[in-house]
Amino acid sequence: VGLKFLQLPQAGFLAPCLQNAAIQQSQVRHRRTKHFDPKWKRLRKEKYVKVDIPNLNEKAEEFSQEQMKTRMKERGILPPRPWMERPFHISCTGGVFEAYVPPEGDGKMSAVSKEGAKQKFELLEKKTKSMMAVRKIRSFDDDFEPPEFAAQAQEIYIQAHNLLMEKSKYKLREIVTERAYPELMHNVNDKTIRWRFIKSLEPPRVVHARCTDVISKDNIFGQVTVRFHTQQVLAIYDRFGRLMHGSELVEKDCLEYVVFEKHLSNEYGVWRLHEKIIPDWMPPKAPAYITYRVDDEPPAPMEEQSSKEVTAAEAEPEKVATASA
């Protein structure tokens, strides 16, 4: 940076405010004033990076397979695959494998009667496979015990129904499998659900357990069926506040077989509500009352209106004659 001196005209030709300034100084930058030290020449040279600019006009068809392979290695590009793959995650099974078949009349027959004793005997016969499945589950979960799990399953069952009543979709997905979620949320929109758990008539117990592998032998799922005999209150209202099903005042006894599933191979897998078993011998439920809008009577066609007017006009003279008589 140097100083350049500019000589101004004589003071007589300047404006009054500039007559006192005889000389004006300004900073000027020249090439010869640039700082240059030869000892940093090598470092300045290394600052420049030569870039290999690709030729955008070349075509891939012009190269041989070896040349194309060399080019892709230079640029760090992986060769394309002839097939398309998409990763997928199986978080639950699509149904219940070897579903439990509830004995007919369960919850009504006494263990002392003939039918009740027969049910107990059939339960012992089916218990062998369940014990083997429980042993398989314990190989993944050391703390698994059927009586303790039955109490845990009842808490999951109650929590799922409370979240369904609140319509908390995101929290419901944490304790319900992807198989059961659409069935729980079906036809729930514009409905008001009132559900309450009263008490257990019998302690919940594990009646069935099965394990299976999906796709590979290492990918194992476990399913446990729990029997619930409880008292509940259920009432469902439509969008207009009319009662569709149940009652908030009537307590009903409910006998249910609920399947819980866990991805045993997953280290962070949890037990979730999977499905509810409905036996074939159970009588069908009464359909809900469906409310619908009733429109006013549609207007009659023009022909019917004209015929009514004609009959009214004919009836008027008869009324007049009767009145005069």
Side-chain angles (χ1 to χ4, degrees), residues 50-146:
K50 293 183 180 180
V51 180
D52 185 14
I53 301 175
N55 184 10
L56 302 178
N57 295 324
E58 63 185 12
K59 298 180 180 179
E61 294 81 6
E62 299 175 356
F63 296 98
S64 63
Q65 188 173 0
E66 293 296 328
Q67 290 177 339
M68 181 64 69
K69 191 175 181 180
T70 305
R71 285 288 181 90
M72 296 182 75
K73 280 187 176 180
E74 291 174 355
R75 300 178 183 179
I77 303 174
L78 295 174
R81 295 183 177 182
W83 64 88
M84 295 294 293
E85 290 183 349
R86 290 186 179 181
F88 64 94
H89 174 63
I90 301 175
S91 60
C92 71
T93 57
V96 180
F97 38 90
E98 296 185 31
Y100 175 72
V101 181
E104 188 172 355
D106 188 14
K108 297 180 181 179
M109 297 180 182
S110 174
V112 183
S113 62
K114 182 180 177 181
E115 291 79 5
K118 187 177 179 182
Q119 290 179 7
K120 292 288 184 181
F121 183 73
E122 291 177 354
L123 181 63
L124 291 174
E125 290 180 348
K126 298 177 182 177
K127 205 171 183 178
T128 307
K129 286 188 177 180
S130 296
M131 292 303 296
M132 295 177 64
V134 169
R135 190 180 302 172
K136 186 76 172 177
I137 294 172
R138 281 177 181 159
S139 64
F140 292 91
D141 187 2
D142 299 335
D143 300 330
F144 181 81
E145 292 293 338

Side-chain angles (χ1 to χ4, degrees), residues 17-43:
C17 61
L18 299 176
Q19 289 180 1
N20 297 329
I23 297 176
Q24 181 182 6
Q25 298 178 359
S26 62
Q27 293 182 355
V28 181
R29 183 181 179 89
H30 296 286
R31 181 73 179 171
R32 64 178 180 272
T33 62
K34 179 181 178 182
H35 176 73
F36 184 80
D37 192 348
K39 67 180 179 181
W40 307 114
K41 187 173 183 179
R42 182 179 61 83
L43 297 177

